Amino acid sequence: MTTGMRMTWVLDGRGWVTCTVEDHQAKAEFSVSYITSAPEDLLTAVARLVSGEAETRVQFEAEPTAYRWILYRRADDVWIRVLELRDGRDHDNKGTEIWSGQLGIDVLGRSVIRCFDEVARTYGESGYRGKWGEHFPRTELEALRRLWRAHRSDES
């Protein structure tokens, strides 16, 4: 099992971001467009997993390429696959896996929270809106943080 994951979200220009996900075995870097609510969707998907959901998906659009995250949870383990698809409407089996990992739900939650905390520190919420074109996903980030903290306290 992967012991850690790092995720970064770097605003490249108006409506574009470079997302990087990596662990000690592999790294994937890809562009994401603001045409969908990718950050909100990712934060919400991870929150659902922390809450106990067994499977969730998130899709990032890169016009016309898409990056589909498939996340499965069993007990406290999460398996993640990130697929690159030529077209976002394509079935999973047409995608190419660009990153995968297995990690604990606590590690996943912490990694995603740290990523978006760093985004807020780097750009500020108004700077984020100016570059991304949408509001910073504060509501979704804080919802995930609350669920993650509750999950951690339940384990104690």
Side-chain angles (χ1 to χ4, degrees), residues 9 32 36-44 60 116 128 132 137 140:
W9 191 261
V32 181
T36 62
S37 52
E40 294 88 349
D41 293 347
L42 178 64
L43 289 160
T44 299
F60 295 170
F116 284 95
Y128 177 91
W132 181 246
E140 294 82 1

Side-chain angles (χ1 to χ4, degrees), residues 5-22:
M5 179 182 108
R6 177 166 161 73
M7 184 176 151
T8 58
W9 191 261
V10 178
L11 299 168
D12 294 328
R14 178 79 175 156
W16 286 95
V17 74
T18 297
C19 178
T20 305
V21 60
E22 61 186 306

Side-chain angles (χ1 to χ4, degrees), residues 9-76:
W9 191 261
V10 178
L11 299 168
D12 294 328
R14 178 79 175 156
W16 286 95
V17 74
T18 297
C19 178
T20 305
V21 60
E22 61 186 306
D23 59 18
H24 68 280
Q25 296 177 330
K27 176 180 179 177
E29 186 174 280
F30 44 94
S31 294
V32 181
S33 168
Y34 74 114
I35 64 169
T36 62
S37 52
E40 294 88 349
D41 293 347
L42 178 64
L43 289 160
T44 299
V46 174
R48 287 195 318 253
L49 287 174
V50 170
S51 297
E53 237 178 76
E55 179 184 343
T56 189
R57 292 165 173 258
V58 178
Q59 186 156 300
F60 295 170
E61 296 294 335
E63 304 175 53
T65 304
Y67 298 94
R68 186 172 300 148
W69 296 60
I70 305 167
L71 303 101
Y72 298 99
R73 178 179 176 180
R74 183 166 182 189
D76 280 341

Side-chain angles (χ1 to χ4, degrees), residues 92-149:
D92 292 349
N93 64 11
K94 288 192 172 186
T96 301
E97 185 175 283
I98 61 169
W99 188 84
S100 65
Q102 178 186 354
L103 54 149
I105 189 67
D106 181 58
V107 172
L108 174 62
R110 181 175 53 245
S111 298
V112 174
I113 290 167
R114 282 183 178 166
C115 171
F116 284 95
D117 282 347
E118 182 62 27
V119 169
R121 274 191 299 277
T122 301
Y123 303 101
E125 293 194 24
S126 63
Y128 177 91
R129 180 169 170 77
K131 283 191 135 248
W132 181 246
E134 298 294 336
H135 291 286
F136 182 79
R138 177 62 59 195
T139 301
E140 294 82 1
L141 175 58
E142 295 310 320
L144 172 57
R145 190 185 321 273
R146 279 189 305 278
L147 288 165
W148 177 71
R149 285 180 176 156

